[in-house]
Amino acid sequence: MRARPLRRPSFALLLALLSTLTPALALGGCGKTPLGSASSSAGGAQALASVGPAGAGGLVTKNTVRLGGADPVTDAAAVARAVRPGLTAVTRPPIVTVVDAHGWADALAASVLSSSPLRAPLLYSEGPTLPAVSAEALAAMRPTGLSATGGGASAAGALGDTQIIEVGPDLVPAGSYRVYPVRAGDPFKRAVEIEGLNTIMHGGPPHAVIVVAADGPPALAMPAAGLAAQTGAPILFVTAVGVPAPTREALAQLREPEIYVLGPSTAVSDAVLARLARYGTAKRILATTKTPGARAYASALPSAGAPSASSSVAGATDATATIAQSPVENAIATATFAEESFGWGVREPGHGLVFASATQPLDAPAAAPLSASGDYGPLLLLEGPTQVPAALGEYLRDIQPAYSDAAAYRPVHGSYNHGFLIGDAHAISATAQAELDTMLEISPVSSSSPSP
């Protein structure tokens, strides 16, 4: 462990931060190209994001806020500054996680450090270089070190006055911060090391573990970031053909946990699911297509087997519901799934939601702190910048807030949905943002009609 003095933010940086807190369309930008030039390719988008030293800002509508900019590095800095602005003692994080942006699996596993009680924001480096937007966000947040927050003895013994958890190579400039390195030999081992830190922070082993395929489609694994941040369940990795030794050893030490596998068998095969069942109760969270009249989107199937595409799925009200495999439907399944004390279970109005592009996997770990603070929103995905996918639109209409037109019940007494959008117009266009805003808006229904 390297002992490093705390660097203080400059006065100019604090002024820049204050300028980003104004909820308006900002025009400035730290040498970045305005996004208005993307209008022809992003659905008529205008300049959506202010990419200043704090890395935060963007188009705000009545039900949505955009965070980020042109790349995941900026997106992570924007989210970090939103959840931990560092302007008061309680908004300074004890620890910040810094991950190499070239290590997508490392970033996904590190998402669990955003969970309670640590609630560490995540920033990206670019190899051994810490980009200016990450360095500026780090300096403005001014991490205190765990001991300053009164952390437990076991946590203090492991992390002490650590201000930065580095996952990957030597990322933070020497002489700047006190650093705890996570540098095990490969992503499987680094995920296990992160699980160990998470166990220390929670004072004991987790009762649940999330498993995804390290070599599968990243978009199918993206929802694991928010789920880990919300539940505190660590993320471990398998491959398409087996369970690597580091993962096996970690699971064997966790006293038969509930093992939740994200994604269809095209990502994690039934054979791998069966092998996971040797170490606990292994279940697959599945997406199902929603037929008219069906209200369920997700179920957990045990390792004993998976249904065929035509089989009915437990929890669906229509026996013709079938297993679906798209990243959009997989994210909806993760958002709606709940079992006992695990999962989101977002099937009714009154929630925060986080929207990102399925084409930008690094935005999932970047957005993870939004799943563990504020509105506590699950991650939902769009397939492209200009359109809201049909499955997502249907889900949002099912959970859209409503109020009766009866005089005795007004919108002020209703529940509300709120959305955070991650990235600039190339990720989610202004047109798509406007459509999402409409789908989140509380709306009147006739007192003679059933509520949605």
Side-chain angles (χ1 to χ4, degrees):
M1 187 182 299
R2 292 167 283 158
R4 296 176 172 176
L6 178 64
R7 182 173 62 189
R8 296 186 180 276
S10 67
F11 180 70
L13 176 60
L14 292 178
L15 288 178
L17 167 63
L18 293 175
S19 71
T20 65
L21 297 179
T22 302
L25 263 174
L27 302 177
C30 195
K32 299 287 186 179
T33 302
L35 296 177
S37 61
S39 60
S40 62
S41 61
Q46 301 300 314
L48 296 187
S50 167
V51 189
L59 177 61
V60 176
T61 69
K62 59 188 181 299
N63 298 302
T64 68
V65 173
R66 185 183 294 266
L67 294 172
D71 54 59
V73 175
T74 305
D75 297 344
V79 172
R81 296 301 304 278
V83 299
R84 292 287 197 172
L87 295 173
T88 63
V90 295
T91 60
R92 292 174 61 187
I95 289 176
V96 175
T97 306
V98 179
V99 187
D100 183 359
H102 298 107
W104 174 81
D106 290 341
L108 192 70
S111 300
V112 73
L113 300 176
S114 295
S115 68
S116 175
L118 196 58
R119 290 194 171 93
L122 184 145
L123 297 173
Y124 286 123
S125 74
E126 293 177 337
T129 301
L130 194 65
V133 70
S134 297
E136 290 159 355
L138 193 55
M141 288 189 291
R142 300 179 295 152
T144 62
L146 187 62
S147 61
T149 65
S154 61
L159 297 175
D161 289 332
T162 296
Q163 296 164 289
I164 307 294
I165 297 176
E166 280 185 348
V167 184
D170 195 355
L171 308 174
V172 178
S176 300
Y177 298 93
R178 296 181 292 274
V179 175
Y180 185 99
V182 176
R183 296 199 178 93
D186 58 49
F188 302 101
K189 293 179 180 178
R190 289 192 287 273
V192 170
E193 189 171 351
I194 291 168
E195 180 275 315
L197 288 176
N198 186 60
T199 293
I200 291 171
M201 292 304 306
H202 285 272
H207 75 279
V209 176
I210 302 165
V211 171
V212 298
D215 55 355
L220 289 173
M222 287 176 69
L227 185 61
Q230 184 256 348
T231 62
I235 298 171
L236 296 176
F237 295 108
V238 294
T239 69
V241 296
V243 184
T247 301
R248 294 198 306 268
E249 293 166 3
L251 290 173
Q253 295 176 5
L254 291 183
R255 304 172 188 173
E256 299 188 346
E258 299 284 337
I259 303 169
Y260 294 96
V261 175
L262 256 61
S265 59
T266 53
V268 178
S269 70
D270 292 336
V272 171
L273 186 66
R275 292 175 191 173
L276 289 169
R278 301 171 185 174
Y279 305 97
T281 304
K283 303 176 183 180
R284 187 192 305 276
I285 298 176
L286 283 171
T288 64
T289 58
K290 179 178 173 294
T291 56
R295 300 292 296 184
Y297 293 86
S299 64
L301 293 178
S303 58
S308 66
S310 60
S311 298
S312 62
V313 179
T317 62
D318 191 312
T320 61
T322 58
I323 297 170
Q325 299 184 7
S326 79
V328 171
E329 293 160 328
N330 188 58
I332 294 170
T334 305
T336 57
F337 176 77
E339 186 176 73
E340 296 180 352
S341 61
F342 181 87
W344 287 103
V346 176
R347 300 188 181 202
E348 67 288 311
H351 295 281
L353 303 166
V354 182
F355 299 93
S357 171
T359 65
Q360 298 190 182
L362 284 170
D363 278 351
L370 296 171
S371 296
S373 61
D375 291 330
Y376 287 80
L379 181 69
L380 299 169
L381 298 177
L382 282 74
E383 296 168 319
T386 59
Q387 293 183 334
V388 177
L392 178 58
E394 188 174 11
Y395 170 60
L396 294 178
R397 284 187 289 272
D398 272 355
I399 65 169
Q400 185 171 15
Y403 65 95
S404 170
D405 58 5
Y409 191 79
R410 296 173 295 161
V412 69
H413 299 299
S415 56
Y416 309 98
N417 290 340
H418 177 266
F420 282 104
L421 280 65
I422 308 302
D424 67 8
H426 295 91
I428 303 174
S429 71
T431 300
Q433 182 171 2
E435 292 176 357
L436 290 170
D437 181 87
T438 301
M439 294 174 184
L440 299 177
E441 173 77 1
I442 188 170
S443 59
V445 295
S446 171
S447 57
S448 60
S449 301
S451 299

